[in-house]
Coordinates of all heavy atoms in Angstrom, one line a residue:
R1 N 0.9 -1.2 0.0 CA 0.0 0.0 0.0 C 0.9 1.2 0.0 O 1.9 1.3 0.6 CB -0.9 0.0 1.3 CG -2.0 -1.0 1.4 CD -3.3 -0.4 0.8 NE -4.1 -1.4 0.6 CZ -5.2 -1.6 1.5 NH1 -5.3 -0.9 2.5 NH2 -6.1 -2.7 1.3
D2 N 0.4 2.2 -0.7 CA 1.2 3.5 -0.7 C 0.3 4.5 0.0 O -1.0 4.5 -0.1 CB 1.4 4.1 -2.1 CG 2.3 3.1 -3.0 OD1 3.1 2.3 -2.2 OD2 2.3 3.1 -4.2
I3 N 0.9 5.3 0.9 CA 0.3 6.4 1.5 C 1.1 7.7 1.4 O 2.3 7.6 1.3 CB -0.1 6.2 3.0 CG1 1.1 5.9 3.8 CG2 -1.1 5.0 3.1 CD1 0.9 5.9 5.4
A4 N 0.5 8.8 1.4 CA 1.2 10.1 1.5 C 0.7 10.8 2.7 O -0.5 11.0 2.9 CB 1.1 10.9 0.2
V5 N 1.7 11.4 3.5 CA 1.2 12.2 4.6 C 1.9 13.5 4.6 O 3.0 13.7 4.0 CB 1.6 11.4 6.0 CG1 0.7 10.2 6.2 CG2 3.1 11.1 6.0
L6 N 1.2 14.5 5.2 CA 1.8 15.8 5.3 C 2.3 16.0 6.7 O 1.7 15.6 7.7 CB 0.6 16.9 5.1 CG -0.1 16.9 3.7 CD1 -1.3 17.7 3.7 CD2 0.9 17.3 2.7
V7 N 3.5 16.4 6.8 CA 4.3 16.6 8.0 C 4.9 18.0 8.0 O 5.2 18.5 6.9 CB 5.2 15.6 8.4 CG1 4.5 14.2 8.6 CG2 6.3 15.4 7.3
D8 N 5.3 18.5 9.2 CA 6.2 19.7 9.3 C 7.4 19.5 8.5 O 8.0 18.4 8.5 CB 6.4 20.0 10.7 CG 7.0 21.4 10.9 OD1 6.2 22.3 10.8 OD2 8.3 21.5 11.1
K9 N 7.9 20.6 7.8 CA 9.2 20.6 7.1 C 10.3 20.1 7.9 O 11.3 19.5 7.4 CB 9.5 21.8 6.4 CG 8.8 22.1 5.1 CD 9.3 23.2 4.4 CE 8.6 23.4 2.9 NZ 9.1 24.6 2.3
S10 N 10.3 20.2 9.2 CA 11.5 19.9 10.0 C 11.5 18.5 10.4 O 12.5 18.0 10.8 CB 11.4 20.7 11.4 OG 10.3 20.4 12.1
V11 N 10.4 17.7 10.0 CA 10.5 16.3 10.3 C 11.4 15.5 9.4 O 11.4 15.7 8.2 CB 9.0 15.7 10.2 CG1 9.0 14.2 10.3 CG2 8.1 16.3 11.2
S12 N 12.3 14.7 10.1 CA 13.3 13.9 9.3 C 12.5 12.6 8.8 O 11.9 11.9 9.6 CB 14.4 13.4 10.2 OG 15.0 12.3 9.7
A13 N 12.5 12.4 7.5 CA 11.9 11.2 6.9 C 12.5 10.0 7.5 O 11.8 9.0 7.8 CB 12.0 11.3 5.4
A14 N 13.8 10.0 7.6 CA 14.5 8.8 8.2 C 14.1 8.4 9.6 O 13.8 7.3 10.0 CB 16.1 9.1 8.2
R15 N 13.9 9.5 10.4 CA 13.5 9.2 11.8 C 12.0 8.8 11.9 O 11.7 7.9 12.6 CB 13.7 10.6 12.6 CG 13.2 10.4 14.1 CD 13.7 11.4 15.0 NE 13.3 11.1 16.3 CZ 12.6 11.9 17.1 NH1 12.3 13.1 16.7 NH2 12.2 11.6 18.3
L16 N 11.2 9.3 11.0 CA 9.7 8.9 10.9 C 9.7 7.5 10.6 O 9.0 6.7 11.3 CB 9.0 9.8 10.0 CG 7.5 9.6 9.7 CD1 6.8 10.8 9.4 CD2 7.4 8.6 8.5
M17 N 10.5 7.0 9.6 CA 10.5 5.7 9.1 C 11.1 4.7 10.3 O 10.6 3.7 10.4 CB 11.3 5.5 7.8 CG 10.6 6.2 6.7 SD 11.5 6.2 5.2 CE 11.6 4.5 4.7
E18 N 12.0 5.3 10.9 CA 12.7 4.4 12.1 C 11.6 4.2 13.1 O 11.4 3.0 13.7 CB 13.8 5.1 12.8 CG 15.0 5.1 12.0 CD 16.1 5.9 12.6 OE1 16.0 6.2 13.8 OE2 17.1 6.3 11.9
D19 N 10.8 5.2 13.4 CA 9.7 5.0 14.4 C 8.6 4.1 14.0 O 8.1 3.3 14.7 CB 9.0 6.4 14.7 CG 9.9 7.3 15.6 OD1 10.9 6.9 16.1 OD2 9.5 8.5 15.8
V20 N 8.3 4.2 12.7 CA 7.3 3.2 12.1 C 7.8 1.8 12.2 O 7.1 0.8 12.7 CB 6.8 3.5 10.7 CG1 6.0 2.4 10.1 CG2 6.2 4.8 10.6
R21 N 9.1 1.6 11.9 CA 9.7 0.2 12.0 C 9.8 -0.3 13.4 O 9.5 -1.4 13.8 CB 11.1 0.2 11.4 CG 11.1 0.2 9.9 CD 12.5 0.1 9.2 NE 12.4 0.2 7.8 CZ 12.9 1.2 7.1 NH1 13.4 2.3 7.8 NH2 12.9 1.2 5.8
A22 N 10.1 0.6 14.4 CA 10.2 0.3 15.8 C 8.9 -0.1 16.4 O 8.8 -0.8 17.4 CB 10.9 1.4 16.5
A23 N 7.8 0.5 15.9 CA 6.4 0.2 16.4 C 6.0 -1.2 16.1 O 5.0 -1.7 16.7 CB 5.5 1.2 15.8
A24 N 6.7 -2.0 15.3 CA 6.4 -3.3 15.0 C 4.8 -3.5 14.6 O 4.1 -4.3 15.1 CB 6.7 -4.3 16.2
V25 N 4.5 -2.7 13.6 CA 3.2 -2.7 13.1 C 2.9 -4.1 12.6 O 3.7 -4.6 11.8 CB 3.0 -1.6 11.9 CG1 1.6 -1.8 11.3 CG2 3.1 -0.3 12.5
T26 N 1.7 -4.7 12.8 CA 1.4 -6.0 12.4 C 1.5 -6.3 11.0 O 1.0 -5.4 10.2 CB -0.2 -6.2 12.8 OG1 -0.3 -5.9 14.1 CG2 -0.5 -7.6 12.6
Y27 N 2.3 -7.3 10.6 CA 2.4 -7.7 9.2 C 3.3 -6.8 8.3 O 3.6 -7.2 7.2 CB 1.1 -7.9 8.5 CG 0.1 -8.7 9.2 CD1 -1.2 -8.2 9.5 CD2 0.3 -10.1 9.5 CE1 -2.1 -9.0 10.2 CE2 -0.6 -10.9 10.1 CZ -1.8 -10.3 10.5 OH -2.7 -11.1 11.1
L28 N 3.9 -5.7 8.8 CA 4.7 -4.8 8.1 C 6.0 -5.4 7.9 O 6.8 -5.7 8.8 CB 4.9 -3.4 8.7 CG 5.6 -2.4 8.0 CD1 4.9 -2.1 6.7 CD2 5.8 -1.1 8.8
T29 N 6.4 -5.7 6.6 CA 7.7 -6.4 6.3 C 8.6 -5.4 5.6 O 9.9 -5.7 5.6 CB 7.5 -7.7 5.5 OG1 6.8 -7.4 4.3 CG2 6.7 -8.7 6.2
D30 N 8.1 -4.4 5.0 CA 9.0 -3.4 4.2 C 8.4 -2.0 4.3 O 7.1 -2.0 4.2 CB 9.3 -3.9 2.8 CG 10.3 -3.1 2.1 OD1 11.2 -2.8 2.8 OD2 10.3 -2.9 0.9
L31 N 9.2 -1.0 4.4 CA 8.8 0.3 4.3 C 9.8 1.1 3.5 O 11.0 1.0 3.8 CB 8.8 0.9 5.8 CG 8.5 2.3 6.0 CD1 7.0 2.8 5.6 CD2 8.7 2.7 7.4
R32 N 9.3 1.9 2.6 CA 10.2 2.7 1.7 C 9.6 4.0 1.5 O 8.5 4.3 1.4 CB 10.5 2.0 0.4 CG 9.5 1.8 -0.5 CD 9.8 1.0 -1.7 NE 8.7 1.0 -2.6 CZ 8.4 1.8 -3.6 NH1 9.1 2.9 -3.8 NH2 7.4 1.6 -4.2
L33 N 10.5 5.0 1.5 CA 10.1 6.4 1.1 C 10.4 6.5 -0.4 O 11.5 6.3 -0.9 CB 10.9 7.4 1.8 CG 10.9 8.9 1.4 CD1 9.5 9.4 2.0 CD2 12.0 9.7 2.0
F34 N 9.4 6.9 -1.2 CA 9.5 7.0 -2.6 C 9.2 8.5 -3.2 O 9.4 8.7 -4.4 CB 8.7 6.0 -3.4 CG 7.3 6.1 -3.3 CD1 6.5 6.8 -4.2 CD2 6.5 5.3 -2.4 CE1 5.1 7.0 -4.2 CE2 5.1 5.5 -2.2 CZ 4.4 6.3 -3.2
D35 N 8.8 9.3 -2.3 CA 8.7 10.7 -2.8 C 8.6 11.7 -1.6 O 8.0 11.5 -0.5 CB 7.4 10.9 -3.6 CG 7.3 12.2 -4.3 OD1 8.4 12.7 -4.9 OD2 6.2 12.7 -4.4
V36 N 9.2 12.8 -1.9 CA 9.1 13.9 -0.9 C 8.8 15.2 -1.8 O 9.4 15.5 -2.8 CB 10.5 14.3 -0.2 CG1 10.4 15.4 0.7 CG2 11.0 13.1 0.5
Y37 N 7.7 15.8 -1.5 CA 7.1 16.9 -2.3 C 6.8 18.1 -1.4 O 6.2 18.1 -0.3 CB 5.8 16.5 -3.0 CG 5.2 17.6 -3.8 CD1 5.7 18.0 -4.9 CD2 4.0 18.2 -3.3 CE1 5.2 19.0 -5.7 CE2 3.5 19.3 -4.1 CZ 4.1 19.7 -5.2 OH 3.5 20.7 -6.0
T38 N 7.3 19.3 -1.9 CA 7.0 20.6 -1.4 C 6.5 21.4 -2.6 O 7.0 21.1 -3.7 CB 8.0 21.3 -0.7 OG1 9.2 21.3 -1.5 CG2 8.4 20.4 0.6
G39 N 5.6 22.3 -2.5 CA 5.3 23.2 -3.6 C 3.8 23.4 -3.7 O 3.2 23.4 -2.7
K40 N 3.4 23.6 -4.9 CA 2.1 23.9 -5.2 C 1.0 22.9 -4.6 O 1.2 21.7 -4.7 CB 1.7 23.9 -6.7 CG 0.5 24.5 -7.1 CD 0.3 24.6 -8.6 CE -1.1 25.1 -8.9 NZ -1.4 25.3 -10.3
G41 N 0.2 23.6 -3.8 CA -0.9 22.7 -3.2 C -0.5 22.2 -1.7 O -1.4 21.6 -1.1
I42 N 0.6 22.5 -1.3 CA 1.1 22.1 0.0 C 1.4 23.3 0.8 O 2.0 24.3 0.4 CB 2.4 21.2 0.0 CG1 2.2 20.0 -0.9 CG2 2.9 20.8 1.3 CD1 1.2 19.0 -0.4
D43 N 1.0 23.3 2.1 CA 1.2 24.4 3.0 C 2.8 24.6 3.0 O 3.5 23.7 3.1 CB 0.7 24.0 4.5 CG 1.0 25.0 5.5 OD1 1.8 25.8 5.4 OD2 0.3 24.9 6.6
P44 N 3.3 25.9 2.8 CA 4.7 26.1 2.8 C 5.4 25.7 4.1 O 6.7 25.5 4.0 CB 4.8 27.7 2.7 CG 3.4 28.1 2.4 CD 2.4 27.1 2.7
K45 N 4.7 25.4 5.2 CA 5.4 25.0 6.4 C 5.5 23.4 6.4 O 6.0 22.9 7.4 CB 4.8 25.6 7.6 CG 4.7 27.1 7.7 CD 4.0 27.6 8.9 CE 4.1 29.1 8.9 NZ 3.2 29.7 10.0
R46 N 4.9 22.8 5.5 CA 4.8 21.3 5.5 C 5.4 20.7 4.2 O 5.7 21.4 3.2 CB 3.3 20.9 5.6 CG 2.7 21.6 6.9 CD 1.4 21.0 7.1 NE 1.7 20.0 8.2 CZ 0.7 19.1 8.6 NH1 -0.5 19.0 8.0 NH2 1.0 18.2 9.5
K47 N 5.6 19.4 4.3 CA 6.0 18.7 3.2 C 5.2 17.4 3.1 O 4.6 16.9 4.1 CB 7.4 18.4 3.2 CG 7.9 17.5 4.3 CD 9.5 17.3 4.4 CE 9.9 16.7 5.6 NZ 11.3 16.6 5.7
S48 N 5.1 16.7 1.9 CA 4.4 15.5 1.8 C 5.4 14.4 1.6 O 6.4 14.4 0.9 CB 3.6 15.6 0.5 OG 3.0 14.3 0.2
L49 N 5.3 13.3 2.4 CA 6.1 12.2 2.3 C 5.2 11.0 1.8 O 4.3 10.7 2.4 CB 6.7 11.8 3.7 CG 7.6 12.8 4.4 CD1 8.0 12.3 5.8 CD2 8.8 13.3 3.6
A50 N 5.6 10.3 0.8 CA 5.0 9.2 0.2 C 5.8 8.0 0.6 O 6.9 7.8 0.3 CB 4.9 9.4 -1.3
L51 N 5.0 7.0 1.2 CA 5.6 5.8 1.8 C 5.0 4.7 1.1 O 3.8 4.5 1.0 CB 5.3 5.8 3.2 CG 5.8 6.9 4.1 CD1 5.3 6.7 5.6 CD2 7.3 7.0 4.1
G52 N 5.8 3.7 0.7 CA 5.3 2.3 0.3 C 5.4 1.4 1.5 O 6.4 1.2 2.0
L53 N 4.3 0.8 1.7 CA 4.4 -0.3 2.8 C 4.0 -1.6 2.3 O 3.1 -1.8 1.6 CB 3.2 0.2 3.9 CG 3.3 1.6 4.5 CD1 2.3 2.5 3.9 CD2 3.2 1.5 6.0
T54 N 4.8 -2.6 2.7 CA 4.5 -3.9 2.3 C 4.1 -4.8 3.5 O 4.9 -4.8 4.5 CB 5.8 -4.6 1.6 OG1 6.2 -3.8 0.5 CG2 5.5 -6.0 1.1
F55 N 3.1 -5.5 3.4 CA 2.6 -6.4 4.4 C 2.6 -7.8 4.0 O 2.2 -8.2 2.8 CB 1.2 -5.9 4.8 CG 1.0 -4.5 5.3 CD1 0.7 -3.5 4.4 CD2 1.3 -4.2 6.6 CE1 0.6 -2.1 4.8 CE2 1.2 -2.9 7.1 CZ 0.9 -1.9 6.2
R56 N 2.9 -8.7 4.9 CA 3.0 -10.2 4.6 C 2.9 -11.0 5.9 O 3.3 -10.5 7.0 CB 4.4 -10.5 3.9 CG 4.6 -11.8 3.4 CD 5.7 -12.0 2.5 NE 5.7 -11.1 1.4 CZ 6.7 -10.3 1.1 NH1 7.7 -10.2 1.7 NH2 6.5 -9.5 -0.1
D57 N 2.2 -12.1 5.7 CA 2.1 -13.0 6.8 C 2.6 -14.4 6.2 O 2.2 -14.7 5.1 CB 0.7 -13.2 7.3 CG 0.5 -14.2 8.5 OD1 1.3 -15.1 8.6 OD2 -0.4 -13.9 9.4
Q58 N 3.4 -15.1 6.9 CA 4.1 -16.3 6.4 C 3.0 -17.5 6.4 O 3.2 -18.4 5.6 CB 5.2 -16.7 7.3 CG 6.4 -15.7 7.3 CD 7.0 -15.7 5.9 OE1 7.0 -16.5 5.0 NE2 7.7 -14.5 5.7
S59 N 2.1 -17.4 7.2 CA 1.1 -18.5 7.2 C -0.1 -18.4 6.5 O -1.0 -19.5 6.3 CB 0.8 -18.8 8.7 OG 0.1 -17.7 9.3
R60 N -0.5 -17.2 6.0 CA -1.7 -17.0 5.2 C -1.8 -15.9 4.4 O -1.0 -14.9 4.5 CB -2.9 -17.0 6.2 CG -3.0 -15.8 7.1 CD -4.1 -15.8 8.1 NE -4.1 -14.6 9.0 CZ -4.7 -13.5 8.7 NH1 -5.5 -13.4 7.7 NH2 -4.6 -12.5 9.5
T61 N -2.7 -15.8 3.5 CA -3.0 -14.6 2.6 C -3.7 -13.6 3.4 O -4.7 -13.9 4.1 CB -3.7 -15.0 1.4 OG1 -3.0 -16.0 0.6 CG2 -3.9 -13.8 0.4
L62 N -3.1 -12.3 3.5 CA -3.9 -11.2 4.2 C -5.0 -10.7 3.3 O -4.9 -10.5 2.1 CB -2.8 -10.1 4.4 CG -1.6 -10.4 5.3 CD1 -0.7 -9.3 5.4 CD2 -2.1 -10.9 6.7
G63 N -6.1 -10.5 4.0 CA -7.3 -9.9 3.3 C -7.2 -8.3 3.4 O -6.3 -7.8 4.2
D64 N -8.1 -7.6 2.8 CA -8.2 -6.3 2.9 C -8.3 -5.7 4.3 O -7.7 -4.7 4.7 CB -9.4 -5.7 2.0 CG -9.0 -5.7 0.5 OD1 -7.8 -5.7 0.2 OD2 -9.9 -5.6 -0.2
E65 N -9.2 -6.5 5.0 CA -9.4 -6.1 6.5 C -8.1 -6.1 7.3 O -7.9 -5.2 8.0 CB -10.4 -7.0 7.0 CG -11.0 -6.6 8.4 CD -12.1 -7.5 8.9 OE1 -13.1 -7.5 8.2 OE2 -11.9 -8.0 9.9
D66 N -7.3 -7.1 7.2 CA -6.0 -7.2 7.8 C -5.1 -6.0 7.4 O -4.5 -5.3 8.3 CB -5.2 -8.5 7.5 CG -6.0 -9.7 7.8 OD1 -6.5 -9.8 9.0 OD2 -6.1 -10.6 6.9
V67 N -5.0 -5.7 6.2 CA -4.1 -4.7 5.7 C -4.6 -3.3 6.1 O -3.9 -2.4 6.5 CB -3.9 -4.7 4.1 CG1 -3.1 -3.6 3.6 CG2 -3.2 -6.1 3.8
N68 N -5.9 -3.1 6.0 CA -6.5 -1.9 6.4 C -6.3 -1.5 7.8 O -6.0 -0.4 8.3 CB -8.1 -1.8 6.1 CG -8.3 -1.7 4.7 OD1 -7.5 -1.4 3.8 ND2 -9.6 -2.1 4.2
L69 N -6.4 -2.5 8.7 CA -6.1 -2.4 10.1 C -4.6 -2.0 10.3 O -4.3 -1.1 11.0 CB -6.4 -3.7 10.9 CG -6.2 -3.6 12.4 CD1 -7.2 -2.6 13.0 CD2 -6.5 -5.1 13.0
A70 N -3.7 -2.6 9.6 CA -2.2 -2.3 9.7 C -1.9 -1.0 9.3 O -1.2 -0.2 9.9 CB -1.4 -3.5 9.1
V71 N -2.5 -0.6 8.2 CA -2.4 0.8 7.7 C -2.8 1.8 8.7 O -2.2 2.8 8.9 CB -3.0 1.0 6.3 CG1 -2.9 2.4 5.8 CG2 -2.3 0.1 5.2
G72 N -4.0 1.5 9.3 CA -4.5 2.4 10.3 C -3.6 2.5 11.4 O -3.5 3.6 12.0
Q73 N -2.9 1.5 11.8 CA -1.9 1.5 12.8 C -0.7 2.6 12.5 O -0.4 3.3 13.4 CB -1.3 0.2 13.1 CG -2.2 -0.8 13.8 CD -1.6 -2.1 13.9 OE1 -0.7 -2.6 13.0 NE2 -1.8 -2.9 15.0
V74 N -0.4 2.5 11.3 CA 0.8 3.3 10.8 C 0.2 4.8 10.9 O 0.9 5.7 11.4 CB 1.2 3.0 9.5 CG1 2.2 4.0 8.9 CG2 1.8 1.6 9.5
I75 N -1.0 5.1 10.3 CA -1.5 6.4 10.3 C -1.8 6.9 11.6 O -1.4 8.1 12.0 CB -2.8 6.4 9.4 CG1 -2.5 6.1 7.9 CG2 -3.5 7.8 9.6 CD1 -3.7 5.8 7.1
D76 N -2.2 6.1 12.6 CA -2.4 6.6 13.9 C -1.1 7.0 14.6 O -1.0 8.0 15.3 CB -3.1 5.5 14.7 CG -4.5 5.2 14.5 OD1 -5.1 6.1 13.8 OD2 -5.1 4.2 14.9
L77 N -0.1 6.2 14.4 CA 1.2 6.4 14.9 C 1.8 7.7 14.4 O 2.3 8.6 15.1 CB 2.3 5.4 14.5 CG 3.7 5.6 14.9 CD1 4.0 5.4 16.4 CD2 4.5 4.7 14.0
L78 N 1.6 8.0 13.1 CA 2.2 9.2 12.4 C 1.4 10.4 13.0 O 1.9 11.5 13.2 CB 2.1 9.1 10.9 CG 3.0 8.0 10.4 CD1 2.9 8.0 8.9 CD2 4.5 8.3 10.7
E79 N 0.0 10.3 13.1 CA -0.7 11.4 13.6 C -0.3 11.8 15.0 O -0.2 12.9 15.3 CB -2.2 11.0 13.6 CG -2.9 11.0 12.1 CD -4.3 10.5 12.2 OE1 -4.7 9.9 13.1 OE2 -4.9 10.7 11.2
K80 N -0.2 10.8 15.8 CA 0.2 11.0 17.2 C 1.7 11.5 17.4 O 1.8 12.5 18.1 CB 0.1 9.7 18.0 CG 0.5 9.7 19.5 CD 0.4 8.4 20.2 CE 0.9 8.5 21.6 NZ 0.9 7.2 22.2
N81 N 2.6 11.0 16.7 CA 4.0 11.4 16.9 C 4.4 12.5 16.1 O 5.4 13.2 16.5 CB 4.9 10.2 16.7 CG 4.7 9.1 17.6 OD1 3.9 9.2 18.6 ND2 5.5 8.0 17.4
Y82 N 3.8 12.8 14.9 CA 4.3 13.8 14.0 C 3.2 14.8 13.6 O 3.4 15.6 12.8 CB 4.9 13.2 12.8 CG 6.1 12.3 13.1 CD1 6.0 11.0 13.5 CD2 7.4 13.0 13.3 CE1 7.1 10.2 13.7 CE2 8.5 12.3 13.6 CZ 8.4 10.9 13.8 OH 9.4 10.1 14.1
N83 N 2.0 14.8 14.2 CA 0.9 15.6 13.8 C 0.7 15.5 12.3 O 0.4 16.5 11.6 CB 1.2 17.1 14.2 CG -0.1 17.9 14.2 OD1 -1.1 17.5 14.3 ND2 0.1 19.2 13.9
A84 N 0.9 14.3 11.8 CA 0.8 14.0 10.3 C -0.7 14.0 10.0 O -1.6 13.7 10.8 CB 1.4 12.7 9.9
E85 N -0.9 14.4 8.7 CA -2.2 14.4 8.1 C -2.2 13.5 6.8 O -1.3 13.8 6.0 CB -2.7 15.8 7.8 CG -4.0 16.0 7.3 CD -4.2 17.4 7.0 OE1 -3.7 18.3 7.7 OE2 -5.1 17.7 6.0
L86 N -3.1 12.6 6.6 CA -3.1 11.9 5.4 C -3.4 12.8 4.2 O -4.4 13.5 4.3 CB -4.2 10.7 5.5 CG -4.2 9.7 4.5 CD1 -2.9 8.9 4.6 CD2 -5.3 8.7 4.8
R87 N -2.5 12.7 3.2 CA -2.7 13.7 2.1 C -3.8 13.1 1.2 O -3.8 11.9 0.8 CB -1.5 13.8 1.3 CG -1.5 14.7 0.2 CD -0.2 15.0 -0.4 NE -0.3 15.8 -1.6 CZ 0.6 15.9 -2.6 NH1 1.7 15.3 -2.4 NH2 0.3 16.7 -3.6
K88 N -4.8 13.9 0.8 CA -5.9 13.3 -0.1 C -5.6 13.8 -1.6 O -5.0 14.7 -1.9 CB -7.1 14.0 0.4 CG -7.5 13.5 1.8 CD -8.6 14.0 2.4 CE -8.9 13.4 3.7 NZ -9.4 13.9 4.8

């Protein structure tokens, strides 16, 4: 799943990703940053970070419900720790 979040420009993408990895989100096996955007349509004090999240379970196929719950965990963490907002 790919998500993009708006965070303050001072937020380090590397630190944000370390926090997500450290949180041991259910089924999260890979996390990558694939875009950082500032400019038109973004508050000048913020930036957009686009993250690719890979979820996997060794014993079964994950359904949408499983993945949606795990993505929700990531978004909750980012909202709480970084005042992040899901980019629409």
Side-chain angles (χ1 to χ4, degrees):
R1 289 273 170 98
D2 295 340
I3 62 170
V5 292
L6 298 171
V7 295
D8 189 79
K9 276 191 174 179
S10 66
V11 170
S12 159
R15 180 160 182 235
L16 179 144
M17 292 173 63
E18 285 175 18
D19 285 353
V20 172
R21 286 186 182 106
V25 173
T26 308
Y27 309 120
L28 183 65
T29 59
D30 190 34
L31 174 66
R32 66 184 179 86
L33 174 69
F34 66 88
D35 188 44
V36 177
Y37 176 75
T38 59
K40 187 175 180 180
I42 303 291
D43 179 337
K45 297 177 184 173
R46 303 189 100 191
K47 63 184 171 185
S48 172
L49 302 177
L51 304 170
L53 302 106
T54 303
F55 299 95
R56 186 171 296 130
D57 187 323
Q58 297 295 335
S59 63
R60 66 186 179 90
T61 301
L62 297 175
D64 284 339
E65 191 173 299
D66 300 311
V67 175
N68 290 341
L69 182 62
V71 170
Q73 291 175 323
V74 172
I75 293 168
D76 288 347
L77 172 80
L78 297 177
E79 287 174 346
K80 179 181 175 190
N81 293 357
Y82 296 96
N83 196 30
E85 180 182 332
L86 197 58
R87 185 172 172 199
K88 297 177 177 149

